[in-house]
Amino acid sequence: MATNHQLTATSRSVEGKGASRRLRIAGYVPAIVYGAGEAPQAIQVLHNDVLLGSRFESFYSSVIELTVDGKKQKVLIKDWQKHPFKQLMLHMDFQRVNENEAIKVAVPVHFLNQEKSPAGKTAGLVISHNLTEVTVSCLPKNLPEFIELDLADLKAGDIIHLSDLKLPAGVEIPELGLGKEHDVAVVTVASIQEEVDPAAAEGGETPPADEKK
């Protein structure tokens, strides 16, 4: 079941670094909402509301119901700036969405049953998650929170490509339409190659450094 994310904001008329700094001190995140043929609007959102939403993985890849001064609109989080080390959101950009137009969003990939797979049970194999999110295109109503990838049958030498992902109805990966070279690997399984000393492999012993002349 999809998570229904909601945020409430108010418009702001004063912009600039000083005004943004005062908003952050007061517990707000300065932001802007744009798109859908409407003029950009400067807004402010309660920082605690943003923190609560960000506890969900889907917060940054879902359509959010944003209410600004009582007016509801559907938006996506398109950009954000966080403090380098504090749990503090500095600025956010929201893009309005048209429910009848396709959107492109990067959604996370969930890897299932890796530990139960033949590869997961075999020593000397490295399972690499080359992609942890995938950009999909769909109508807002069809946007998935994540894409599941079942690795139960994963074995040595396997490579899972973008084209192998099972997508929900109405969802596609635009990159696959650009050619075969864009069908990149999502998961790969490789063997660990250990370097063996030739002398040791033949049953001999490598002489100490002071005996090598």
Side-chain angles (χ1 to χ4, degrees), residues 12-78:
R12 56 189 174 97
S13 57
V14 182
E15 300 182 52
K17 292 183 178 180
S20 295
R21 189 180 304 111
R22 289 191 292 273
L23 280 177
R24 296 185 190 107
I25 293 174
Y28 288 90
V29 180
I32 187 169
V33 57
Y34 62 90
E38 299 182 33
Q41 182 181 16
I43 62 174
Q44 59 192 41
V45 187
L46 277 172
H47 192 273
N48 282 345
D49 290 348
V50 174
L51 283 183
L52 287 174
S54 64
R55 293 180 180 178
F56 296 88
E57 178 189 46
S58 61
F59 183 64
Y60 294 100
S61 58
S62 294
V63 175
I64 297 173
E65 185 179 90
L66 177 67
T67 303
V68 181
D69 298 335
K71 178 184 176 182
K72 294 183 178 181
Q73 50 196 311
K74 303 290 186 178
V75 301
L76 290 169
I77 298 176
K78 296 301 293 184

Side-chain angles (χ1 to χ4, degrees), residues 112-114 116-119 149-155:
L112 308 179
N113 300 316
Q114 177 173 304
K116 300 177 182 178
S117 69
L149 179 54
D150 192 346
L151 302 179
D153 298 324
L154 195 67
K155 58 186 182 299

Side-chain angles (χ1 to χ4, degrees), residues 81-207:
Q81 299 173 15
K82 292 182 178 180
H83 193 279
F85 55 88
K86 294 181 181 179
Q87 194 177 17
L88 180 65
M89 185 70 75
L90 301 177
H91 190 275
M92 301 182 73
D93 287 356
F94 297 96
Q95 181 181 4
R96 303 183 187 97
V97 300
N98 185 329
E99 294 187 10
N100 298 314
E101 293 182 1
I103 54 177
K104 291 183 179 180
V105 183
V107 298
V109 178
H110 286 185
F111 304 94
L112 308 179
N113 300 316
Q114 177 173 304
E115 297 79 9
K116 300 177 182 178
S117 69
K121 296 178 180 179
T122 303
L125 295 181
V126 176
I127 301 173
S128 300
H129 298 169
N130 302 308
L131 295 179
T132 57
E133 63 179 22
V134 176
T135 297
V136 301
S137 175
C138 61
L139 291 176
K141 66 179 181 180
N142 295 328
L143 180 62
E145 288 192 8
F146 51 82
I147 301 295
E148 289 187 342
L149 179 54
D150 192 346
L151 302 179
D153 298 324
L154 195 67
K155 58 186 182 299
D158 277 355
I159 301 177
I160 299 178
H161 294 85
L162 278 177
S163 57
D164 297 319
L165 297 178
K166 295 181 179 179
L167 304 175
V171 179
E172 61 182 26
I173 299 176
E175 197 169 1
L176 292 177
L178 301 177
K180 292 183 178 180
E181 65 274 16
H182 292 273
D183 190 12
V184 298
V186 180
V187 175
T188 56
V189 183
S191 300
I192 300 175
Q193 300 294 331
E194 295 183 357
E195 294 186 3
V196 180
D197 187 284
E202 295 175 2
E205 294 184 359
T206 302

